[in-house]
Amino acid sequence: MDYSKWSSPSFSCSISLFHRGDSISNFLVIIILIFCAVLLFLTAVWIQQSVKRKKKSSGIPQGTILYSDLNVPATPLFSRRHRLTGKPDYILSKQNQCIPVEVKSGKGPYPHQNHILQLAAYCQILEDTSGEFVPEGILVYNNVPYTIPFDPKLRFELESVMKTMRASLRKSSVPRNHDEPGRCHRCSMRRYCTDILIENP
């Protein structure tokens, strides 16, 4: 058998080109991976700085942000014990305690009762999911924070409201509990409501 072809210049050249092409491919893969890593790092830095700017401009108190739903949609929190789910705007670590923060808009007087109950629900969810005592929550209106104690009175009120809501869900119809056309106008369920105070479009 003639083995001379194995040492021919053309064959040696093809082997050399193969290795050279393989090296170029590996180099390109490394460059792409480095580029992706840098891009992810810069994105993470941008998100972190954006959260800090929003926190400062929104009047959010000092503390480490553990969770945010304002810049990037966050995973909902869920309490199996109370069958509640929700996403607070922020969760702060303040003096080794987790504090839910909700940023609101609207006219005074502040704070609004429905916002207090929403915040109370977040306190309860956070307490159930973390296993830690949550002493309070914070509502922010026009860059002004309002600390809402999650005390026994508010806990009882939250429990009472949840029982009323669940009882209402078992009914075939639920009467309107207000006489405010503005609330009907802003309600996401107005197209389905038969007791609405304004005309549906």
Side-chain angles (χ1 to χ4, degrees):
M1 181 179 292
D2 184 10
Y3 294 99
S4 60
K5 64 179 181 179
W6 298 105
S7 59
S8 65
S10 60
F11 184 78
S12 299
C13 181
S14 63
I15 292 293
S16 176
L17 288 174
F18 173 77
H19 285 297
R20 185 177 300 172
D22 194 46
S23 298
I24 292 174
S25 298
N26 290 338
F27 178 74
L28 289 175
V29 169
I30 292 172
I31 292 297
I32 291 172
L33 289 175
I34 292 174
F35 175 78
C36 291
V38 171
L39 184 62
L40 287 173
F41 173 76
L42 292 176
T43 301
V45 170
W46 178 82
I47 291 174
Q48 185 181 40
Q49 293 300 319
S50 178
V51 168
K52 287 182 178 179
R53 286 193 299 270
K54 188 175 288 289
K55 176 184 173 184
K56 186 176 181 180
S57 64
S58 299
I60 297 172
Q62 291 296 321
T64 303
I65 296 177
L66 303 177
Y67 174 104
S68 173
D69 187 50
L70 289 186
N71 293 279
V72 179
T75 302
L77 305 178
F78 178 68
S79 166
R80 293 184 180 276
R81 178 187 171 197
H82 289 89
R83 292 179 294 163
L84 283 174
T85 187
K87 299 192 296 181
D89 290 334
Y90 295 99
I91 295 176
L92 295 182
S93 176
K94 183 180 176 184
Q95 297 177 350
N96 295 323
Q97 292 178 319
C98 293
I99 308 295
V101 179
E102 191 70 9
V103 180
K104 293 296 186 182
S105 59
K107 299 179 181 180
Y110 303 126
H112 299 311
Q113 184 61 23
N114 58 323
H115 294 165
I116 291 175
L117 286 170
Q118 180 186 3
L119 185 68
Y122 291 150
C123 289
Q124 188 63 72
I125 293 170
L126 184 56
E127 196 168 87
D128 292 346
T129 55
S130 68
E132 301 290 338
F133 174 69
V134 176
E136 62 191 32
I138 298 173
L139 287 171
V140 180
Y141 295 93
N142 299 324
N143 302 336
V144 178
Y146 294 79
T147 299
I148 309 298
F150 191 41
D151 54 20
K153 179 182 177 181
L154 184 55
R155 290 170 185 266
F156 177 81
E157 186 176 0
L158 175 64
E159 188 72 29
S160 177
V161 168
M162 287 192 296
K163 287 181 179 178
T164 301
M165 291 175 65
R166 285 171 180 145
S168 297
L169 288 172
R170 291 191 290 269
K171 297 179 180 179
S172 58
S173 64
V174 180
R176 174 171 33 83
N177 65 347
H178 67 88
D179 295 307
E180 303 174 33
R183 291 180 64 178
C184 289
H185 179 73
R186 296 187 299 270
C187 182
S188 61
M189 302 299 292
R190 66 182 186 181
R191 68 178 64 182
Y192 310 106
C193 183
T194 59
D195 198 18
I196 194 169
L197 293 173
I198 61 174
E199 291 186 6
N200 272 315

